[in-house]
Amino acid sequence: DLVFSSDGQIFASHSDDHSVKLWNWQGDLLQTLYAPNADPWSKAFSPDGELIATGGADQTVRLWTRDGELLHTLTGHEDTVRQVVFSPDGQLIASASHDDTIKLWTRTGQLIKTLTGHTRNVHWVRFSQDSQTLISSSNDGTIKQWSLDGTLLQTLTGHQAWVSDLVLNSDEQTVLSASGDK
């Protein structure tokens, strides 16, 4: 998959060669972020476009500069990191994992909180626009809303299979979800 920087000038792709590549619109390769055995599954630019977070099969989250310098390797997950995302204010990173947890990290790599409550792989996580809550989806067929202190605010049910993707509407009152239940 692909992801754009907030200014839309750079995009990132990942590949089976364990790399994340940064490109410009002219098709020029700007940087290759390479982590042996990482097999990246997800990547995200910080809102200011200066940092890139990657997560992958090696159970880590890596924080990189836009110039390709590895700043931090964040450990603590016990299975594949399925998704990483920055909060809209750029101060936090959330990582969703097949270990059934979500971890919240500071921009400097400090673990703040581990959110538990899903009973199967967590696939997606999204912050609210005010960076005060987040939502997650899982193979357990649920969508959960959390406060940043780890309090589970609500659980949405109704799917009969894994919830593979979700989007929070700009009014933050509506969640769209896609599931393996068709």
Side-chain angles (χ1 to χ4, degrees):
D1 63 15
L2 304 168
V3 65
F4 284 96
S5 60
S6 58
D7 63 8
Q9 298 303 305
I10 295 176
F11 63 94
S13 63
H14 69 260
S15 175
D16 288 340
D17 69 357
H18 307 290
S19 71
V20 171
K21 296 186 184 319
L22 306 181
W23 308 85
N24 66 18
W25 277 105
Q26 293 73 36
D28 300 319
L29 177 62
L30 303 174
Q31 296 292 334
T32 299
L33 313 179
Y34 183 73
N37 304 314
D39 194 14
W41 282 59
S42 180
K43 63 221 159 288
F45 282 95
S46 60
D48 64 10
E50 295 303 313
L51 295 178
I52 300 156
T54 61
D58 69 346
Q59 306 172 12
T60 67
V61 174
R62 287 184 169 78
L63 297 178
W64 310 79
T65 66
R66 189 172 178 154
D67 295 328
E69 176 188 354
L70 178 62
L71 297 175
H72 305 287
T73 300
L74 313 180
T75 60
H77 280 294
E78 297 176 5
D79 205 333
T80 297
V81 176
R82 181 68 173 93
Q83 192 196 24
V84 292
V85 63
F86 280 89
S87 60
D89 66 9
Q91 299 307 304
L92 298 175
I93 301 157
S95 55
S97 174
H98 286 185
D99 68 6
D100 309 340
T101 69
I102 301 153
K103 293 191 181 291
L104 296 175
W105 313 86
T106 65
R107 184 180 173 109
T108 58
Q110 178 184 355
L111 179 63
I112 297 172
K113 182 70 76 177
T114 300
L115 308 179
T116 59
H118 282 293
T119 58
R120 304 238 356 246
N121 302 349
V122 182
H123 280 281
W124 292 96
V125 64
R126 302 274 191 265
F127 281 96
S128 61
Q129 287 301 310
D130 66 3
S131 301
Q132 297 304 303
T133 62
L134 54 89
I135 57 173
S136 59
S137 68
S138 168
N139 274 5
D140 64 13
T142 66
I143 298 167
K144 296 185 181 289
Q145 181 184 24
W146 310 84
S147 68
L148 296 187
D149 68 4
T151 302
L152 177 61
L153 302 174
Q154 66 178 325
T155 300
L156 304 176
T157 60
H159 283 295
Q160 303 304 311
W162 69 92
V163 182
S164 57
D165 197 1
L166 54 87
V167 177
L168 185 61
N169 192 352
S170 61
D171 69 6
E172 299 196 358
Q173 301 300 309
T174 306
V175 176
L176 299 177
S177 58
S179 171
D181 62 9
K182 303 179 185 179

